[in-house]
Amino acid sequence: MSGDKSSLRVAVTRRLPEPVESKMRELFDVRLNEDDHRMDRDELLALMQDSDVIVPSLSDRIDGELLEKAGERLKLIANYGVGVDHIDLPGAGKRGILVTNTSGVLTEDTADMTMALIIAVTRKLNQGMAVMQSGEWEGWSPTAFLGGRIGGRKLGILGMGRIGRAVARRARAFGMEIHYHNRNRLDAECEKALQASWWDSLDQMLARVDVVSVNVAHTPATFHLLSARRLHLLQPGAVVINTSRGEVIDENALTRMLRAGEIAGAGLDVYEHGHEANPRLRNLPNVVLLPHMGSATVEGRIEMGEKVILNIRSFAEGQLPPDLLSPGGI
Ligand code: GLV
């Protein structure tokens, strides 16, 4: 690939924040998605056949079939986002196409949203908001809207990567007790700093915590990690929070348990079937649902764009992009 950046043809599948698009216009021969429509497979394929770099995001499924049909000139998939479960990494590897993500810059925002959901569900914010919005509040009462105290509750973090650790730091400041399950145990110093207890057995951790926060990436190994069987290990007073990927939880099983009162509540930002949340989760008093907005801050989304640009520029200059992913997966 030549170092002539302006000749690099870059296709972006969704609208990005204006400063990011302006910078891309300056640097590359860029095609932007002016009306922000969701591209279908044919449109994606056309871009993949005719670009050096594509910049997809999580709503674009880039599977093996599309990768096989990609044009010879496609050399880099610079994903706008940290999760890459929508991209067939080994398939890209087979075609010699590099894949990068935007790790790091959305850690704190996503952890903030996780903490917000822990508080929202435990302190029943949705019930308070609903009463204020309906105009039906009848004034303070000693027994209305009673939630649970955050301090002292046991938080079980599933996946102790960057975001999991950022959640742990916040939760400690709120007085929560930190437990975690992760493929690899953190080093002793890190565990000590976070005052976190490691559980080799996820089952055992689930049976003992008050709040479970899913912060693990979706991979074949983590699909339905919170299966019906595991969800039933939770105590009836427990709540489940997910700001990672919906596929990690068996959403039907979770919905059934919430409706049956077998679990106290849930705070969900992500769903098993993309934007189609199970309709039976709606209007439940113990459930707070958000439209996948964990990383949705102006600052974060601009920094994500800057990371994408850095990855593309490093690649164009013949260097390894800083956020290069291994074809073997994450
Ligand atoms: C958001 O979920 C992301 O993967 O960037």
Side-chain angles (χ1 to χ4, degrees):
M1 184 57 52
S2 89
D4 178 6
K5 278 159 268 167
S6 65
S7 71
L8 203 64
R9 188 174 292 169
V10 177
V12 184
T13 68
R14 296 300 296 265
R15 259 301 3 192
L16 301 183
E18 200 281 322
V20 177
E21 292 194 343
S22 297
K23 187 89 186 157
M24 285 185 160
R25 272 196 207 93
E26 265 170 45
L27 291 170
F28 315 119
D29 170 14
V30 69
R31 289 169 193 202
L32 298 171
N33 177 353
E34 303 290 344
D35 64 5
D36 199 30
H37 66 281
R38 247 166 218 273
M39 294 192 176
D40 62 21
R41 285 177 74 77
D42 290 344
E43 211 173 342
L44 273 180
L45 182 59
L47 292 181
M48 289 169 68
Q49 285 178 334
D50 198 27
S51 313
D52 301 302
V53 180
I54 59 162
V55 181
S57 46
L58 59 90
S59 53
D60 305 305
R61 180 140 302 282
I62 303 195
D63 56 23
E65 193 191 330
L66 281 187
L67 284 159
E68 265 169 34
K69 293 182 182 159
E72 284 304 316
R73 65 185 293 177
L74 184 66
K75 288 284 176 277
L76 172 66
I77 300 175
N79 188 54
Y80 182 81
V82 68
V84 285
D85 49 331
H86 55 296
I87 303 173
D88 178 348
L89 294 184
K94 258 190 247 154
R95 290 287 320 266
I97 301 169
L98 305 182
V99 181
T100 57
N101 69 353
T102 59
S103 67
V105 291
L106 39 75
T107 304
E108 305 300 322
D109 295 326
T110 308
D112 286 346
M113 196 57 99
T114 308
M115 201 62 222
L117 281 172
I118 293 173
I119 296 170
V121 177
T122 310
R123 295 296 306 273
K124 304 189 187 297
L125 296 198
N126 56 333
Q127 295 179 27
M129 285 167 70
V131 121
M132 293 310 288
Q133 272 160 7
S134 70
E136 284 165 9
W137 186 41
E138 289 176 352
W140 190 83
S141 134
T143 53
F145 306 112
L146 300 187
R149 177 177 290 160
I150 303 287
R153 281 188 139 61
K154 296 187 175 72
L155 171 64
I157 300 176
L158 178 45
M160 203 61 149
R162 283 193 182 90
I163 298 176
R165 296 196 299 271
V167 171
R169 285 197 299 276
R170 283 157 178 74
R172 273 303 307 151
F174 278 83
M176 297 186 87
E177 211 180 87
I178 311 300
H179 301 261
Y180 75 98
H181 172 80
N182 199 49
R183 259 182 318 195
N184 304 312
R185 187 169 181 175
L186 299 179
D187 62 50
E189 206 177 314
C190 188
E191 250 183 27
K192 194 166 164 224
L194 296 171
Q195 297 178 41
S197 309
W198 181 64
W199 291 84
D200 186 19
S201 156
L202 173 57
D203 288 9
Q204 287 188 22
M205 180 179 90
L206 292 174
R208 284 165 180 80
V209 294
D210 303 301
V211 180
V212 184
S213 173
V214 176
N215 297 107
V216 73
H218 168 222
T219 65
T222 63
F223 177 77
H224 280 195
L225 196 57
L226 289 189
S227 58
R229 180 190 70 76
R230 286 214 171 97
L231 288 168
H232 278 98
L233 297 173
L234 289 165
Q235 303 170 45
V239 308
V240 174
I241 306 296
N242 191 359
T243 53
S244 179
R245 283 292 183 272
E247 291 91 333
V248 178
I249 304 181
D250 180 339
E251 189 173 292
N252 278 333
L254 177 68
T255 306
R256 277 196 299 276
M257 288 179 69
L258 285 161
R259 295 186 73 90
E262 290 167 358
I263 188 176
L268 306 175
D269 189 39
V270 287
Y271 306 92
E272 190 171 340
H273 303 289
H275 63 283
E276 285 161 19
N278 188 326
R280 289 167 57 79
L281 281 169
R282 284 188 221 137
N283 304 320
L284 291 179
N286 51 348
V287 176
V288 175
L289 303 179
L290 294 177
H292 201 158
M293 52 194 277
S295 69
T297 66
V298 174
E299 295 86 347
R301 292 284 161 89
I302 291 176
E303 284 169 19
M304 284 162 67
E306 285 165 354
K307 281 225 122 183
V308 166
I309 291 171
L310 185 63
N311 283 316
I312 300 175
R313 291 184 80 171
S314 313
F315 159 76
E317 286 160 11
Q319 297 159 14
L320 278 187
D323 300 304
L324 184 63
L325 298 168
S326 130
I330 49 176

mmCIF file of all heavy atoms in Angstrom, residues 57-58 79-86 101-102 106 110 163 243-245 269-270 292-295 301 304, ligand 1:
data_model
loop_
_atom_site.group_PDB
_atom_site.id
_atom_site.type_symbol
_atom_site.label_atom_id
_atom_site.label_comp_id
_atom_site.label_asym_id
_atom_site.label_seq_id
_atom_site.Cartn_x
_atom_site.Cartn_y
_atom_site.Cartn_z
ATOM 1 N N SER A 57 -19.484 -0.688 11.586
ATOM 2 C CA SER A 57 -19.745 -0.682 13.025
ATOM 3 C C SER A 57 -20.625 -1.873 13.356
ATOM 4 O O SER A 57 -20.923 -2.688 12.478
ATOM 5 C CB SER A 57 -20.309 0.650 13.494
ATOM 6 O OG SER A 57 -21.306 1.068 12.642
ATOM 7 N N LEU A 58 -21.047 -1.971 14.611
ATOM 8 C CA LEU A 58 -21.584 -3.256 15.070
ATOM 9 C C LEU A 58 -22.867 -3.698 14.388
ATOM 10 O O LEU A 58 -23.243 -4.860 14.474
ATOM 11 C CB LEU A 58 -21.726 -3.246 16.587
ATOM 12 C CG LEU A 58 -22.615 -2.178 17.232
ATOM 13 C CD1 LEU A 58 -24.039 -2.670 17.371
ATOM 14 C CD2 LEU A 58 -22.036 -1.800 18.574
ATOM 15 N N ASN A 79 -12.748 -1.243 12.316
ATOM 16 C CA ASN A 79 -14.066 -1.187 12.956
ATOM 17 C C ASN A 79 -14.201 0.035 13.865
ATOM 18 O O ASN A 79 -13.287 0.361 14.621
ATOM 19 C CB ASN A 79 -14.279 -2.471 13.775
ATOM 20 C CG ASN A 79 -15.685 -2.570 14.308
ATOM 21 O OD1 ASN A 79 -16.644 -2.486 13.556
ATOM 22 N ND2 ASN A 79 -15.814 -2.712 15.615
ATOM 23 N N TYR A 80 -15.365 0.664 13.776
ATOM 24 C CA TYR A 80 -15.696 1.793 14.656
ATOM 25 C C TYR A 80 -16.428 1.201 15.857
ATOM 26 O O TYR A 80 -17.640 1.006 15.840
ATOM 27 C CB TYR A 80 -16.579 2.793 13.897
ATOM 28 C CG TYR A 80 -16.942 4.030 14.688
ATOM 29 C CD1 TYR A 80 -16.045 5.092 14.803
ATOM 30 C CD2 TYR A 80 -18.180 4.139 15.306
ATOM 31 C CE1 TYR A 80 -16.375 6.232 15.526
ATOM 32 C CE2 TYR A 80 -18.519 5.275 16.028
ATOM 33 C CZ TYR A 80 -17.610 6.310 16.134
ATOM 34 O OH TYR A 80 -17.947 7.440 16.858
ATOM 35 N N GLY A 81 -15.672 0.842 16.883
ATOM 36 C CA GLY A 81 -16.255 0.201 18.058
ATOM 37 C C GLY A 81 -15.272 -0.811 18.597
ATOM 38 O O GLY A 81 -14.327 -1.211 17.895
ATOM 39 N N VAL A 82 -15.519 -1.249 19.829
ATOM 40 C CA VAL A 82 -14.561 -2.186 20.429
ATOM 41 C C VAL A 82 -14.948 -3.634 20.150
ATOM 42 O O VAL A 82 -14.098 -4.471 19.849
ATOM 43 C CB VAL A 82 -14.366 -1.895 21.941
ATOM 44 C CG1 VAL A 82 -15.601 -2.190 22.758
ATOM 45 C CG2 VAL A 82 -13.185 -2.644 22.492
ATOM 46 N N GLY A 83 -16.246 -3.962 20.219
ATOM 47 C CA GLY A 83 -16.683 -5.343 20.002
ATOM 48 C C GLY A 83 -16.580 -5.692 18.528
ATOM 49 O O GLY A 83 -16.939 -4.892 17.662
ATOM 50 N N VAL A 84 -16.075 -6.899 18.242
ATOM 51 C CA VAL A 84 -15.912 -7.290 16.835
ATOM 52 C C VAL A 84 -16.607 -8.631 16.564
ATOM 53 O O VAL A 84 -16.235 -9.356 15.648
ATOM 54 C CB VAL A 84 -14.415 -7.366 16.430
ATOM 55 C CG1 VAL A 84 -13.831 -5.979 16.272
ATOM 56 C CG2 VAL A 84 -13.622 -8.193 17.421
ATOM 57 N N ASP A 85 -17.639 -8.929 17.354
ATOM 58 C CA ASP A 85 -18.321 -10.208 17.155
ATOM 59 C C ASP A 85 -19.151 -10.236 15.874
ATOM 60 O O ASP A 85 -19.645 -11.279 15.488
ATOM 61 C CB ASP A 85 -19.183 -10.572 18.372
ATOM 62 C CG ASP A 85 -20.086 -9.446 18.825
ATOM 63 O OD1 ASP A 85 -19.736 -8.265 18.625
ATOM 64 O OD2 ASP A 85 -21.159 -9.740 19.384
ATOM 65 N N HIS A 86 -19.291 -9.092 15.219
ATOM 66 C CA HIS A 86 -20.015 -9.055 13.940
ATOM 67 C C HIS A 86 -19.075 -9.279 12.751
ATOM 68 O O HIS A 86 -19.495 -9.229 11.609
ATOM 69 C CB HIS A 86 -20.735 -7.708 13.784
ATOM 70 C CG HIS A 86 -19.811 -6.524 13.935
ATOM 71 N ND1 HIS A 86 -19.155 -6.230 15.114
ATOM 72 C CD2 HIS A 86 -19.390 -5.600 13.048
ATOM 73 C CE1 HIS A 86 -18.397 -5.166 14.943
ATOM 74 N NE2 HIS A 86 -18.517 -4.766 13.693
ATOM 75 N N ASN A 101 -9.890 -2.451 16.001
ATOM 76 C CA ASN A 101 -11.061 -1.928 16.725
ATOM 77 C C ASN A 101 -10.664 -0.614 17.400
ATOM 78 O O ASN A 101 -9.645 -0.011 17.046
ATOM 79 C CB ASN A 101 -11.607 -2.978 17.696
ATOM 80 C CG ASN A 101 -10.681 -3.242 18.875
ATOM 81 O OD1 ASN A 101 -9.558 -2.739 18.922
ATOM 82 N ND2 ASN A 101 -11.148 -4.023 19.813
ATOM 83 N N THR A 102 -11.473 -0.173 18.353
ATOM 84 C CA THR A 102 -11.167 1.119 19.007
ATOM 85 C C THR A 102 -11.093 0.911 20.522
ATOM 86 O O THR A 102 -11.803 1.573 21.281
ATOM 87 C CB THR A 102 -12.243 2.175 18.696
ATOM 88 O OG1 THR A 102 -13.516 1.689 19.167
ATOM 89 C CG2 THR A 102 -12.353 2.457 17.220
ATOM 90 N N LEU A 106 -13.592 3.794 25.016
ATOM 91 C CA LEU A 106 -14.971 3.794 25.521
ATOM 92 C C LEU A 106 -15.103 3.075 26.862
ATOM 93 O O LEU A 106 -16.210 2.858 27.361
ATOM 94 C CB LEU A 106 -15.945 3.241 24.475
ATOM 95 C CG LEU A 106 -15.491 2.056 23.631
ATOM 96 C CD1 LEU A 106 -15.522 0.807 24.430
ATOM 97 C CD2 LEU A 106 -16.344 1.958 22.392
ATOM 98 N N THR A 110 -18.522 3.354 29.230
ATOM 99 C CA THR A 110 -19.323 2.135 29.375
ATOM 100 C C THR A 110 -19.414 1.738 30.850
ATOM 101 O O THR A 110 -20.471 1.293 31.320
ATOM 102 C CB THR A 110 -18.712 1.001 28.519
ATOM 103 O OG1 THR A 110 -18.534 1.492 27.200
ATOM 104 C CG2 THR A 110 -19.620 -0.221 28.484
ATOM 105 N N ILE A 163 -13.006 -2.830 30.829
ATOM 106 C CA ILE A 163 -14.288 -2.283 31.299
ATOM 107 C C ILE A 163 -14.649 -2.883 32.659
ATOM 108 O O ILE A 163 -15.074 -2.167 33.570
ATOM 109 C CB ILE A 163 -15.404 -2.506 30.252
ATOM 110 C CG1 ILE A 163 -15.051 -1.765 28.951
ATOM 111 C CG2 ILE A 163 -16.760 -2.032 30.784
ATOM 112 C CD1 ILE A 163 -16.012 -1.975 27.788
ATOM 113 N N THR A 243 -23.995 -4.566 29.880
ATOM 114 C CA THR A 243 -23.642 -3.468 28.961
ATOM 115 C C THR A 243 -22.656 -3.974 27.916
ATOM 116 O O THR A 243 -21.986 -3.172 27.271
ATOM 117 C CB THR A 243 -22.998 -2.286 29.722
ATOM 118 O OG1 THR A 243 -21.898 -2.798 30.493
ATOM 119 C CG2 THR A 243 -23.974 -1.571 30.625
ATOM 120 N N SER A 244 -22.554 -5.306 27.769
ATOM 121 C CA SER A 244 -21.551 -5.854 26.846
ATOM 122 C C SER A 244 -22.197 -6.321 25.548
ATOM 123 O O SER A 244 -22.306 -5.555 24.593
ATOM 124 C CB SER A 244 -20.798 -6.973 27.543
ATOM 125 O OG SER A 244 -19.851 -7.525 26.687
ATOM 126 N N ARG A 245 -22.665 -7.566 25.542
ATOM 127 C CA ARG A 245 -23.376 -8.076 24.371
ATOM 128 C C ARG A 245 -24.504 -8.987 24.866
ATOM 129 O O ARG A 245 -24.292 -9.819 25.765
ATOM 130 C CB ARG A 245 -22.447 -8.884 23.468
ATOM 131 C CG ARG A 245 -21.518 -8.043 22.608
ATOM 132 C CD ARG A 245 -22.264 -7.246 21.528
ATOM 133 N NE ARG A 245 -21.363 -6.493 20.672
ATOM 134 C CZ ARG A 245 -20.930 -5.253 20.908
ATOM 135 N NH1 ARG A 245 -21.308 -4.607 21.996
ATOM 136 N NH2 ARG A 245 -20.131 -4.651 20.058
ATOM 137 N N ASP A 269 -28.538 -2.942 28.469
ATOM 138 C CA ASP A 269 -28.238 -1.976 27.413
ATOM 139 C C ASP A 269 -28.114 -2.696 26.070
ATOM 140 O O ASP A 269 -28.038 -2.059 25.035
ATOM 141 C CB ASP A 269 -26.914 -1.275 27.762
ATOM 142 C CG ASP A 269 -26.603 -0.083 26.858
ATOM 143 O OD1 ASP A 269 -27.542 0.664 26.516
ATOM 144 O OD2 ASP A 269 -25.427 0.102 26.497
ATOM 145 N N VAL A 270 -28.068 -4.034 26.123
ATOM 146 C CA VAL A 270 -27.837 -4.843 24.910
ATOM 147 C C VAL A 270 -28.736 -6.073 24.950
ATOM 148 O O VAL A 270 -29.135 -6.538 26.032
ATOM 149 C CB VAL A 270 -26.358 -5.287 24.840
ATOM 150 C CG1 VAL A 270 -25.447 -4.128 24.475
ATOM 151 C CG2 VAL A 270 -25.916 -5.916 26.157
ATOM 152 N N HIS A 292 -28.713 0.366 23.771
ATOM 153 C CA HIS A 292 -27.273 0.210 23.495
ATOM 154 C C HIS A 292 -26.556 1.569 23.422
ATOM 155 O O HIS A 292 -26.071 1.960 22.361
ATOM 156 C CB HIS A 292 -27.053 -0.572 22.189
ATOM 157 C CG HIS A 292 -25.668 -1.177 22.123
ATOM 158 N ND1 HIS A 292 -25.348 -2.248 21.332
ATOM 159 C CD2 HIS A 292 -24.522 -0.844 22.765
ATOM 160 C CE1 HIS A 292 -24.062 -2.543 21.476
ATOM 161 N NE2 HIS A 292 -23.540 -1.699 22.343
ATOM 162 N N MET A 293 -26.531 2.254 24.558
ATOM 163 C CA MET A 293 -25.931 3.591 24.574
ATOM 164 C C MET A 293 -24.758 3.701 25.548
ATOM 165 O O MET A 293 -24.378 4.796 25.950
ATOM 166 C CB MET A 293 -27.015 4.652 24.863
ATOM 167 C CG MET A 293 -27.841 4.382 26.088
ATOM 168 S SD MET A 293 -29.337 5.405 26.151
ATOM 169 C CE MET A 293 -28.669 6.910 26.850
ATOM 170 N N GLY A 294 -24.159 2.550 25.878
ATOM 171 C CA GLY A 294 -23.051 2.545 26.844
ATOM 172 C C GLY A 294 -21.910 3.471 26.464
ATOM 173 O O GLY A 294 -21.324 4.135 27.316
ATOM 174 N N SER A 295 -21.574 3.521 25.187
ATOM 175 C CA SER A 295 -20.431 4.361 24.782
ATOM 176 C C SER A 295 -20.892 5.681 24.173
ATOM 177 O O SER A 295 -20.095 6.402 23.569
ATOM 178 C CB SER A 295 -19.554 3.606 23.778
ATOM 179 O OG SER A 295 -20.232 3.458 22.538
ATOM 180 N N ARG A 301 -17.333 9.158 21.280
ATOM 181 C CA ARG A 301 -17.540 8.822 19.867
ATOM 182 C C ARG A 301 -16.536 9.558 18.973
ATOM 183 O O ARG A 301 -16.157 9.054 17.919
ATOM 184 C CB ARG A 301 -18.984 9.120 19.476
ATOM 185 C CG ARG A 301 -20.000 8.203 20.155
ATOM 186 C CD ARG A 301 -20.020 6.807 19.530
ATOM 187 N NE ARG A 301 -20.624 5.823 20.409
ATOM 188 C CZ ARG A 301 -21.928 5.525 20.448
ATOM 189 N NH1 ARG A 301 -22.768 6.151 19.645
ATOM 190 N NH2 ARG A 301 -22.373 4.608 21.282
ATOM 191 N N MET A 304 -13.317 7.607 19.408
ATOM 192 C CA MET A 304 -13.377 6.363 18.629
ATOM 193 C C MET A 304 -13.010 6.650 17.170
ATOM 194 O O MET A 304 -12.257 5.905 16.543
ATOM 195 C CB MET A 304 -14.783 5.742 18.714
ATOM 196 C CG MET A 304 -15.052 5.048 20.041
ATOM 197 S SD MET A 304 -16.819 4.776 20.361
ATOM 198 C CE MET A 304 -17.237 3.590 19.095
HETATM 199 C C1 GLV B 1 -20.044 -1.002 21.591
HETATM 200 O O1 GLV B 1 -20.783 -1.818 22.054
HETATM 201 C C2 GLV B 1 -18.828 -1.342 20.918
HETATM 202 O O2 GLV B 1 -18.560 -2.526 20.693
HETATM 203 O O3 GLV B 1 -18.091 -0.420 20.568
#
